Amino acid sequence: MTVLYVSNAGGDTVEIYDISTPTAPVHLSDFNGGNLSQPNGMAITGTTLYVANAGNDTVEIYDISTPTAPVHLSDFNGVNLSIPRGLAITGTTLYVANDGNNTVEIYDISTPTSPVRLSDFNGGNLSTPRGLAITGTTLYVANFGNNTVEIYDITTPTAPVRLSDFNGGNLSGPTGLAITGTTLYVANFGNNTVEIYDITTPTAPVRLSDFNGGNLSVPAGLAITGTTLYVANFGNNTVEIYDITIPTAPVRLSDFGAGDLGSPFGLAIFTV
């Protein structure tokens, strides 16, 4: 089974969908754990799900050994979280985009259920950071406040080094990020589009195009499984589905979530 988690910022829940057939999601259930308030970005390692809990300035931790019935374990703040938005993991390092403090926080998750705060970074350029994405030793940070995506070298995961940033001439409130192969997608919250970049050279993205599909309204989170791209459509209370068999030319297939979603923001995929 493959499960898609959708953070329902407007309803203070995370919705669960069966996407074993990627283009035909089936709603299974939702959860709150008694602690969610404006959940945003999510990330998974092993059978541990982290949820950025923007309304409470925490990250919530869930056991997803049974993917359709997450169990709340604990939460953490590390004293420094303020409106956490995006999450990303490499190895045993968790990054948290800290919207309220203009930083990205770094945690050691060698013990996934007991994160230990190590440090934070700004690079001198972060302004209300949101989505995060990693390819190899390159970390991308959607820099909502500056209409850019920042690029960091994370060869040493706990000591990121800022390299540069890019805009492509079209970014407006970049929020969610997702990567497949050498293609980077950027959810463009302010322009109702998703921008497409070639990252064959990860530190020098080249803008290719954008798409809307006729239905995007303040797109937020992105997630990919195989040749299917999901876009959390914050403004329309849906998740849009695109065929990315040709990664640079997405084809809109359908949407889902009407009646279940309220301001969907983050997406995460887990396969058993």
Side-chain angles (χ1 to χ4, degrees):
M1 172 185 283
T2 301
V3 169
L4 173 68
Y5 299 105
V6 182
S7 65
N8 206 22
D12 296 335
T13 61
V14 174
E15 302 292 318
I16 306 175
Y17 292 85
D18 180 347
I19 56 167
S20 298
T21 302
T23 57
V26 177
H27 183 256
L28 300 176
S29 60
D30 62 60
F31 64 95
N32 176 292
N35 295 77
L36 295 180
S37 175
Q38 298 174 36
N40 279 204
M42 296 177 285
I44 295 169
T45 182
T47 57
T48 303
L49 167 69
Y50 302 100
V51 182
N53 205 25
N56 283 348
D57 297 332
T58 60
V59 174
E60 302 292 319
I61 306 176
Y62 291 84
D63 179 347
I64 54 171
S65 298
T66 303
T68 57
V71 177
H72 181 258
L73 299 176
S74 61
D75 62 58
F76 63 94
N77 177 293
V79 184
N80 292 75
L81 293 183
S82 174
I83 318 177
R85 297 282 193 189
L87 305 176
I89 295 170
T90 182
T92 58
T93 304
L94 169 68
Y95 301 103
V96 182
N98 207 22
D99 183 304
N101 283 348
N102 299 326
T103 60
V104 174
E105 301 288 317
I106 306 176
Y107 290 84
D108 178 346
I109 54 169
S110 298
T111 302
T113 56
S114 300
V116 176
R117 182 180 183 273
L118 300 177
S119 61
D120 64 59
F121 63 95
N122 176 292
N125 293 76
L126 294 181
S127 175
T128 57
R130 294 201 168 178
L132 306 172
I134 295 170
T135 182
T137 58
T138 304
L139 169 68
Y140 301 102
V141 182
N143 204 22
F144 184 89
N146 282 349
N147 298 324
T148 60
V149 174
E150 300 287 317
I151 307 176
Y152 291 84
D153 179 344
I154 54 169
T155 301
T156 303
T158 56
V161 176
R162 183 181 184 273
L163 300 176
S164 60
D165 64 59
F166 63 95
N167 175 292
N170 293 76
L171 294 181
S172 174
T175 298
L177 305 174
I179 296 169
T180 181
T182 58
T183 304
L184 168 69
Y185 301 100
V186 182
N188 212 17
F189 201 84
N191 279 352
N192 300 325
T193 60
V194 175
E195 301 288 318
I196 306 176
Y197 290 84
D198 179 345
I199 54 169
T200 301
T201 303
T203 57
V206 176
R207 182 181 184 273
L208 300 176
S209 60
D210 64 59
F211 64 94
N212 176 291
N215 293 76
L216 293 182
S217 175
V218 288
L222 306 173
I224 294 169
T225 181
T227 59
T228 304
L229 168 69
Y230 301 101
V231 182
N233 208 20
F234 188 88
N236 281 352
N237 299 326
T238 60
V239 175
E240 299 287 316
I241 307 176
Y242 290 85
D243 179 345
I244 54 170
T245 301
I246 301 173
T248 56
V251 176
R252 183 182 183 273
L253 300 176
S254 61
D255 63 63
F256 66 94
D260 300 306
L261 299 177
S263 303
F265 193 95
L267 305 172
I269 293 172
F270 180 66
T271 301
V272 179

